[in-house]
Amino acid sequence: MPKVSVVIPAYNAVAYLLEAVESVLKQTFTDFEVLIVDDGSSDGTVEWVSQIKDPRVRLISQQNQGSSGARNTGITAALGEYIALLDADDIWEPTKLQKQVRYLEENPLVGLVDTWTVLIDQQGKSTGKVVVSYAEGDDVWKQLVQFKTVCCCDSTPLIRRSCFETVGLFNRELPFLEDLDMWIRLASHYRFAVVKEPLVRYRQHPGSKSTNCQATLEAFVQSSRKLLSLFLQKYCL
């Protein structure tokens, strides 16, 4: 069995998918499988992935279910002990998995290990901004309540697969900030940690869901209410 399962949801992202997949195949840690979940794309994603000869790469095709549905499909099909999510338009640095796997192996009480993030533009050029993660310790709740960055994007954390067996999969009813909802649930059960290096390049472009400010704000309000309720239960009641 592979140690790590890399889940890449892909919906009409073939323009960026090459860089994302290459960044995985160039990892210094090589005991992994790559599950590319084609979420009903119409841009030739299936044909492109079918040409990849590396036996560690698997293609899963499904009708469009949204990013959460695609992630859930990949997680359910994963064979690895650890789950790494990678958005199709993001890029990993070569030592990302090696450093995160080592941390989880040496710290069995940690459920999720994050990294710092470099922001890049649509062409892949660095904007010069590094996003620091505060996903550390067993009080990640405090960081979330203070709206500090915990897992800048889905492409940063490495998560024990057993954690999903405890908290469940991504909520498909949330079209925005479903990742924040997941971090909240994970933080209620597990310690987090951070490799304090920028090991992920997060692409910002007009097609990103984060550019829908109104929908993102509404989802943020909903997640904040859930966070406050769980925080009160954990620390005040």
Side-chain angles (χ1 to χ4, degrees), residues 40-51:
S41 300
S42 58
D43 63 349
T45 293
V46 171
E47 292 76 12
W48 183 83
V49 176
S50 298
Q51 298 175 17

Side-chain angles (χ1 to χ4, degrees), residues 96-108:
K96 177 187 184 290
L97 288 182
Q98 177 184 339
K99 292 175 178 178
Q100 289 181 301
V101 168
R102 180 189 303 150
Y103 195 98
L104 289 181
E105 295 282 279
E106 295 176 352
N107 297 273

Side-chain angles (χ1 to χ4, degrees), residues 47-183:
E47 292 76 12
W48 183 83
V49 176
S50 298
Q51 298 175 17
I52 298 176
K53 303 303 181 183
D54 194 309
R56 295 172 296 180
V57 178
R58 284 199 281 154
L59 172 66
I60 302 175
S61 295
Q62 64 182 28
Q63 294 183 342
N64 184 261
Q65 298 181 27
S67 55
S68 289
R71 292 189 192 101
N72 291 346
T73 295
I75 294 169
T76 301
L79 300 175
E81 180 181 353
Y82 305 134
I83 303 293
L85 304 172
L86 174 59
D87 286 346
D89 50 0
D90 294 338
I91 302 169
W92 285 350
E93 298 299 335
T95 59
K96 177 187 184 290
L97 288 182
Q98 177 184 339
K99 292 175 178 178
Q100 289 181 301
V101 168
R102 180 189 303 150
Y103 195 98
L104 289 181
E105 295 282 279
E106 295 176 352
N107 297 273
L109 296 182
V110 172
L112 177 154
V113 58
D114 199 25
T115 75
W116 292 357
T117 309
V118 173
L119 302 186
I120 60 176
D121 62 19
Q122 187 171 1
Q123 288 71 42
K125 182 179 179 181
S126 173
T127 66
K129 182 176 181 180
V130 174
V131 180
V132 173
S133 172
Y134 293 90
E136 188 169 21
D138 52 8
D139 281 329
V140 175
W141 287 92
K142 295 180 180 178
Q143 314 303 330
L144 288 166
V145 168
Q146 296 174 46
F147 306 117
K148 292 184 178 180
T149 301
V150 172
C151 303
C152 172
C153 63
D154 300 312
S155 302
T156 56
L158 182 66
I159 308 164
R160 296 185 191 276
R161 187 173 62 171
S162 59
C163 293
F164 293 106
E165 297 170 2
T166 300
V167 307
L169 299 173
F170 284 88
N171 186 348
R172 290 180 54 191
E173 302 302 316
L174 294 176
F176 290 85
L177 294 187
E178 66 277 10
D179 49 355
L180 176 58
D181 175 77
M182 176 58 73
W183 314 149

